[in-house]
Amino acid sequence: MSTHNHAHETPRDPRERLRHEVEHASHLLAAQGPIRTFVHHNTLHGLQHLHFDDAIREAERVLGGQGYLPVETFRRLHVEGRIPRDQLLRALEELSGLPLTEKPAANVTVRDVVMAHLLHGVDRASPSELAWEIEGRGALGRLRGDLPADVRAQLLRKAHDELERGVARIGVEWTISDWLGSITGLDVAGHVTRVAASGGDAGGAERALRELGIPVEKRAGYVELAQRRCPSGPDAWLHLEALTVSALAERHWSVEGNLPSLQRHFREHVEAYAAETLWRACLGIWALEDPTSPTDAALSPRDPHGGVAEQAWIHAEEMEAAGGPAVTLTSSQVATVQALLTRADEGDHARLCWTIQRELRAAELGRAGLEALRTLLSLHADEVAARLQEELRTQDPHARMLAHAHDVATSLMDGLAHGSTHRDVLLAVTGVDVNERVHPRMLELCSAFLDGGMATWRMPGRTLGLYDAWRNHASHVLDLGNPDDQELKSALAELPVLPVDAVLQSLRALGVEEEAWGGYLGRILLQLPGWGGMISWMERSGRRERSVDLVQFLAVRLFLERMEIARLARRTWHVEGTTEGLRQYFLTHPEEIVVRRELFSGSLPEHLAETARHLCHDENPRHRAGWTSLANLLWHHHEITGGISAHDHAWRLFHLSQLLGLGAEEVRALTRDDATALLRVLDGFPVEKHRRIWQAAYESTYRDQVLDALWQNRGRGRWKDRPTRPRAQIAFCIDDREESFRRHVEEIDPEYETLGVAGFFGVAVHYQGLDDEAASARCPLGVNPQHHVREVAQEDAGRQMARHRSESRWQQAVSDVLWELRRSLVGSYFLVDLVGAVSAVPLLGRVAFPGAFDDVANRVRSPMNTAVPTRLTVDAREVDGRRSGFTTAEQADRVEATLRNMGLTSGFGAVVLLFGHGSISVNNPHLSAYDCGACGGNHGGPNARLFAAMANAPEVRAVLATRGIVIPDDTWFVGAEHNTCNELLTYYDTDVIPASNKQAFAELVKDMEEARRRSAHERARRFRSAPRNPTPERALRHVQERAVDLSQARPELGHATNACAVVGRRSLTRGVFLDRRAFLISYDATQDPTGSILERILMAVGPVGAGINLEYYFSTVDNLRFGCGSKVVHNVNGLLGVMDGPRSDLRTGLPKQMVEIHEPMRLQMIVEASTETLGAIYGRQKPLQELIGNAWVHLVAVDPHSGEASVFTPGRGFVPWTPPGSALPTVKASSDWYREKADFIPPALIQGDRHA
Amino acid sequence: MLDVVILLVPALPLLAAALLGVLWASGRTLAERTVSRMVCGAIGLSLVGSAFALTQVLTLHHGVEVRAWRWLESGRFTVDVAFLVDPLSGVMMTLVSLLCLVASWFARNYMHAEAGFTRFFALVSLFAGAMLVLVMANNYVVMFAGWELAGICSYLLIGYQHERTSAVQGATRAFITKRVAEVALVLGILLVFVQFGTVDYTRVFGAVGGLSTEMANVMALCLFLGAAGKAAQLPFATWLPRAMEGPTPSSALFYGGTMVSAGVYLVIRSQPIFNAAPNVLVMVAMVGVLTAVYGALVGWVQTDVKSILAHSVMTQLGLMFLACGLGAYTAAVHHLVAHAVFSTLLFLTAPSILLRLRDASPREHGDRHQMTTPQWLFILGVAGLMAMPFVSGWWETDERGAAFEDAGHVLLAFGAKAAFGTVVLSSRAVQRAFGGPLGSSVLRVMVISLVAVGLAVAVQQTVLAGGIDQGWFQRFMGGPDVKHGDVAPLLLHALMLVLLVALTVGWLGALYFDRQQPEVHGALMVRLRTLHAVALRRFHLEDLQERWLVAPLLRLGRWLDRVDRRVIDRAMGTPGPAQQVRSVLAQWEEHVATGGAVSSEGRGLGPARGLMGTLAEVAAAFSSALERYVIGMLVGRGVPQTSGLLGRALNGLEHVVGKPVVLGAVVAAGALMLLGVR
């Protein structure tokens, strides 16, 4: 958040300044309101002023989590053919900024290295991972499993050739020990020679040759080689060789140590031979020892792990005994010291020299000796002494450790000024998270205070506001006689009256500098982003029935936090939990801090961790020295594990050369510089940078598919203009889920024209249904409707209405009483006894036979649900001081705007059917996330109904006629609602359809029945629990059952898979199978010369589409951090949201079940308009510049006349797009294309609609 | 035929679980459909078998015992794997297999595409088998085997999402708390054996007559403590709400009433022992009432649906214990069955709470409606009517009732004090629905409550007859092994009194709450606020446990550890370095484990020093390999954090409890107790 520019001057007054900082810090909180009004929005809306990629980097830094899919997923998509290699290369060239054509080493370009890294991954290993890879998973027994077949074959061929060449050299220029030496990287021959020289016993040469399995014809040459190695005794040499080879072969490959068996073994395991030689060649480049080899350099067997550990321990013991680490001296320094010693005098001097003498070993000086030497040097004030003194300082590991420790302690404390909190610092060095004690209190408080009606016994005094209610509450918590509790109580009494003062008080008590407030508070708020976001939402949305805001929240939180920090600091070190108190302690005890930090970050080696853990609980001051010795050991550990190593350098080169197809011989030919240069290329392109490239390639692959489909569909789609009158117009929401429905409608009868428009149909309204308790806003987020419309009973339906009202009241009362009775102590006993056994019926029915049970239940319930014929209060009236309904002019304005948006200004059919949409399912807290986003997370049916009523009004039509839109008298508008979950279609006000239109409407309804069956059929392909290849009827029954199935965590799939938005005439997309992935927005560029309609559409559709798309994007790429995890553990809290289990923050974003089939890619906004028009709009509109210029949404222009596409590239403008030129598959009907396919399907052309 | 069926009932789910475990361990990925069909099929067949066995037993009019094989034999101590089907276990096994079937059928869709799908089903199947063993066993030892197995399943399912810390903490808390309670249960079973020389129910219950009261008290107390742990009664209650971390269907199955009811079952099953221990019976009732009050109060202030349900389950279990404590075992059985079904349905529909509840803004500025005289008269009349049977019945204490008089007063006092909310809530609900002044709402509520309660009592008396002698349910349950509770009238009266007090107090509370501004200060208001605050903190139960149990234990552990290192290590000459080497190995092996597979052969361990060193290392290697296998298999492959979190959570505990000295102390204490008992 530090990068967020402060918009205006920061105020002087501390209170104002604090409020300003809080307001500023709140931008990164989740902006999700109560779950019953779920509205999609960009998860990173607070960072939208940054470029998409920068925003992700910032989010990962501040919020944690991952902003792209994992690299492994991208690699899998590549293997599945979803991201072709050429797209990846193109993205690489455009985005990476690497010198791809340079050659870091012979015949290898940067592109080769980078592509190998991208496609397969060349990663470092830790020492233990290396051990595990090689010994546990046999990495030397085979080549990488993901090698392309040709590379593998090539490597095997090379290995085979090398093997045969090696075998051929035996007896000519190589002995077997030379050969094995070349394979194992050990000096086998040298070892044999050395042992032989030291006088081993001689055996017969013949016998040795037989044991070695040397063929008779080669024996003479072989003996000669032995002779050359050991002129004094070739017999002894050969004998020793046979022994050595036998031991080595047994140890390494478990085979007999003779030529035939070795030869056979390697020929049978060429792959292992290839891997092993390659690995050794890689080690050889840096002359590294193989840490995993079962044989050490002295050719004796070893156990790598026990050995290392044992060594470490011996070192530790020695260090402890010596009182600290010894200093390594160079030979010249040793000489200087020894020279000093020879000048030994009497007395002190002699004693010092004697100590030094005793402590001076081969090349190092012990701790006591060092002290003595220092003293000695201080006695000799000459230049040599001064230089040595200085050298010793830099060489002394203890001093370096202290410097390092000091740095660590300082950087920890400095973090407090840069966005980390006391909690972070203490967590890092004590392993105790104060959040674990603060969060339960905060969760309790927020849930109890903000509860929307779940608790039976509500928190008292909520009208006072969060802060005061909490103060009252906290002062009533029982005192258990803890000193902590008592302290808490007395501190509570000292809290100021104003919450903002309380925040200031806490910040001062903690010692947070004023400059650091913003970062500090932001970090604090992000500890509970869900609740913080909810409070921030309530504050902003003005729902202030309970006074609550972030300052109050922070006042409580900081108070609790500072109490806990004080407690922890006091318990651990007896210091105050303030910045100053901690700083003092940290800087005076840096050894303790550095060891603690490593211990609690989990990177302390286990043999030190045990001791460190004990020290943490050791109160005895005599044991304080333990920290220093541990810190020294730790430093020693760091020093020996740094530098060039097998697990880093050799291991990566080993994998890289496999991927590049380099054999052992070619690797041996590399110089050390070549190899380092190759690795540097890898370093310059770390995995974090890969994801951006992959993402771009993923998106452009899909974009090209869609653009290609649109290109090939040129001139095929019907109703580009309306030469004849369509049979009917059917308008849908722009929702991607309606794409399939529209396609099926058109396939049923091409005479239908379908249109797409934002699902509130341009009538923003507060709507209150017959049974609703209150009105809700039916319009996109950010629009504040000025009109109220209610659903009321028709005048002649008073009797039904009265019955209906009394029925629903009784039902409500009974269900409420039951709910409360269940929670009462005594009532529940009888209730359970009474209804317990009976509830077996609904239990079994609803779980085992959801569909049938629902039918029966509806039939039983229907006599108790009297239907009431209703009307909407469309026309303007004044009701209870509020404006109700619209005047004729207002109605005409809205109807005109919507018709013009759609381009429907002439050629009206006999019926214009308008479908709003919504979704109904059971057991689904996220229900409203499936509803119409354009209606604010509500059902859109009422808007459609309202629009139809307006458009049918003769006086409205009269006004419209004066404005150039003539709606014929025989055209009738009908509002309807499409339930996207169970495909139920509800038509409104059918009783007022004129007789002349009745017939047309009846036929239309029949076709819609067929369309919904087909729609259900297409949707069923993506449901795993749906029957395979069902009939349309069966599929429809399945989706209906799904909607009432308690056990169904995926009643429908929502916007999953949304990927593009097409703004333009339907003729552009009609006849293309877009697989429910496209928002379709009707817009006719030919009727909009100035671009003003388009501007209006883009300003509405851009943010809405991006909001949906980006929420799905982030919930998919990191469901745990940006989404809300799996539904299976969700727990509804306070009617506000869900949490995981009984104790967690409110979870925001989408559940895993909603996004698991989603393909996270940014929205491709394809607009049928000229680049000039679009450019002009882009230049005028800041919000669009932010969305498109920062690449949160991609923009493509399709020319309305030529159909040519241009892709907008930020910084470069519109770049013409060239079609790839391969023909798209054409099918008879949609169902032919999707049949038997359950996963992603690319676009195809549908034949059924070939009309020009 | 019947014998085979009875044996198959628990065997089928266990077999299915074992099969899944083996297939899964062999690294095969199974189709979801295969897994769910296997488990649902096995449990479904168990259900059919259970129902068949139940009808057979009811027609035969006597229990059936089936012996599978001799499990343990040591001197005169023999344990058979044998099952007893009588009306009680028949009802329980039908219930268990029915609910397991429902939950696993539900999970088919609900758990689709979860990473742990197979694990979930394997555990549910294992749990079904375990519960069936528990309820069908004919002796305490076999029952205990099922008891433990069910506990382990519960542990693994609470920690289902092992990547979340709070889930692992919740799982560990549940596991440890129940384990502590089980120490008592084991002691109880030991006592049973020591006393009777057998653990078979029939032989034990046949010999109860010869038991001294003191002995019976100790024995019943031990059994009850175990039961209370399982059923989340005070003081063990804290684990249940924290156990809501698992997937919804498993919460429904385990905590909706199946597993937690095992505690009540144990008491009902052991009723002859409890009947011989009147003091413990009083305690059972007390604990039950206290828990019920605790659960109700804490439940009222909860705002999330699963915590609400958890506390209501706790309350109901408390009421069942109350019934047991008052000797009305049959009523308890009836309540157990009814509650299990009811509660499972509530858990499964928990996510739809948003559809059922409407936003209710708190009515903190209630209108100051004055009660009219007729309304007061009406209320008084109702109160009088309700008091009548109680007044007439209370003084007719029979010989058993006398024993309960003292306890009864306390119980009722508690019940009265805590149950002041029944009508508060209902009146608010009704007011929400009908609007209008509060007074009329209260009237409406009184009508609804009266009708409901009257209906309840009537049904209780005539149809269900849960607490009444010779009711049909009692006759139904009245097989040869079940004794009639002879204190049922007292139960009824006690409950009536509680009900009366609850209604009046609650109604007064409702008036007070809704009519007064919350900011008004007054003694009652302040006290109620305290009660709210304390209820929200769950009566500080966790804090108290932390302070009086965990903290001292940790201190003890650290102290012992220091003694271990400073004194024993040095005295024994166990080399520090060798241990350190082992911990390095452990670190390496952790990497192996997190890598997802297991190395094929035991490797050379670091240099061992002496026999002790070698032994220690071999043991360490063996146990770590075992741990690796077991944890790896149970919790899923390739999940690096799993073993980490579980391991760390367990490690902390092991650190304390795993000290040889602590274990030794526990064993010694147990031995001393046994000796003392003899």
Side-chain angles (χ1 to χ4, degrees), chain A residues 630-685:
Chain A
L630 264 181
N632 275 324
L633 282 172
L634 177 63
W635 183 248
H636 175 73
H637 180 80
H638 282 314
E639 284 194 330
I640 55 170
T641 47
I644 288 176
S645 58
H647 56 87
D648 178 349
H649 294 67
W651 179 247
R652 283 197 292 159
L653 187 62
F654 173 56
H655 283 281
L656 183 62
S657 35
Q658 287 185 45
L659 292 166
L660 295 175
L662 299 179
E665 250 171 323
E666 287 153 293
V667 170
R668 279 187 213 110
L670 292 176
T671 65
R672 197 173 284 191
D673 288 343
D674 288 342
T676 315
L678 284 175
L679 293 187
R680 208 173 302 125
V681 174
L682 292 180
D683 288 336
F685 191 57

Side-chain angles (χ1 to χ4, degrees), chain A residues 125-139:
Chain A
S126 70
S128 45
E129 276 165 356
L130 176 73
W132 164 237
E133 285 291 336
I134 290 184
E135 287 164 39
R137 302 180 53 186

Side-chain angles (χ1 to χ4, degrees), chain B residues 657 659-670:
Chain B
V657 183
K659 289 287 161 207
V661 192
V662 179
L663 277 182
V666 171
V667 171

Side-chain angles (χ1 to χ4, degrees), chain A residues 313 456 614 773 812 1126 1131, chain B residues 112 114 304 358 425 561 577:
Chain A
W313 181 255
T456 289
H614 284 297
E773 282 182 1
Q812 190 62 44
S1126 173
N1131 182 8
Chain B
H112 166 62
E114 285 294 315
D304 63 284
R358 294 170 301 163
L425 325 162
D561 188 44

Side-chain angles (χ1 to χ4, degrees), chain A residues 951-963:
Chain A
N952 286 332
E955 56 279 14
V956 174
R957 288 191 182 189
V959 178
L960 287 178
T962 64
R963 300 186 190 172

Side-chain angles (χ1 to χ4, degrees), chain B residues 151-277:
Chain B
I152 291 169
C153 294
S154 132
Y155 168 69
L156 290 170
L157 280 171
I158 299 171
Y160 176 80
Q161 279 198 341
H162 37 71
E163 64 277 5
R164 282 180 25 239
T165 327
S166 67
V168 178
Q169 283 172 345
T172 313
R173 175 172 284 271
F175 192 68
I176 302 303
T177 316
K178 282 188 270 180
R179 201 69 349 111
V180 169
E182 271 155 22
V183 172
L185 179 58
V186 172
L187 270 180
I189 295 175
L190 266 175
L191 282 180
V192 167
F193 173 70
V194 169
Q195 202 63 29
F196 301 106
T198 175
V199 287
D200 286 5
Y201 294 149
T202 36
R203 281 153 68 196
V204 169
F205 300 150
V208 162
L211 212 54
S212 73
T213 316
E214 293 76 32
M215 188 62 218
N217 274 335
V218 175
M219 204 181 275
L221 180 66
C222 284
L223 293 180
F224 173 61
L225 282 178
K230 198 83 166 173
Q233 299 294 293
L234 291 175
F236 305 108
T238 52
W239 71 263
L240 184 59
R242 295 288 295 275
M244 296 296 128
E245 299 275 2
T248 305
S250 71
S251 295
L253 185 56
F254 284 71
Y255 318 113
T258 311
M259 188 188 77
V260 284
S261 302
V264 184
Y265 169 80
L266 174 66
V267 173
I268 297 172
R269 175 53 84 194
S270 313
Q271 51 178 289
I273 298 181
F274 279 87
N275 283 338

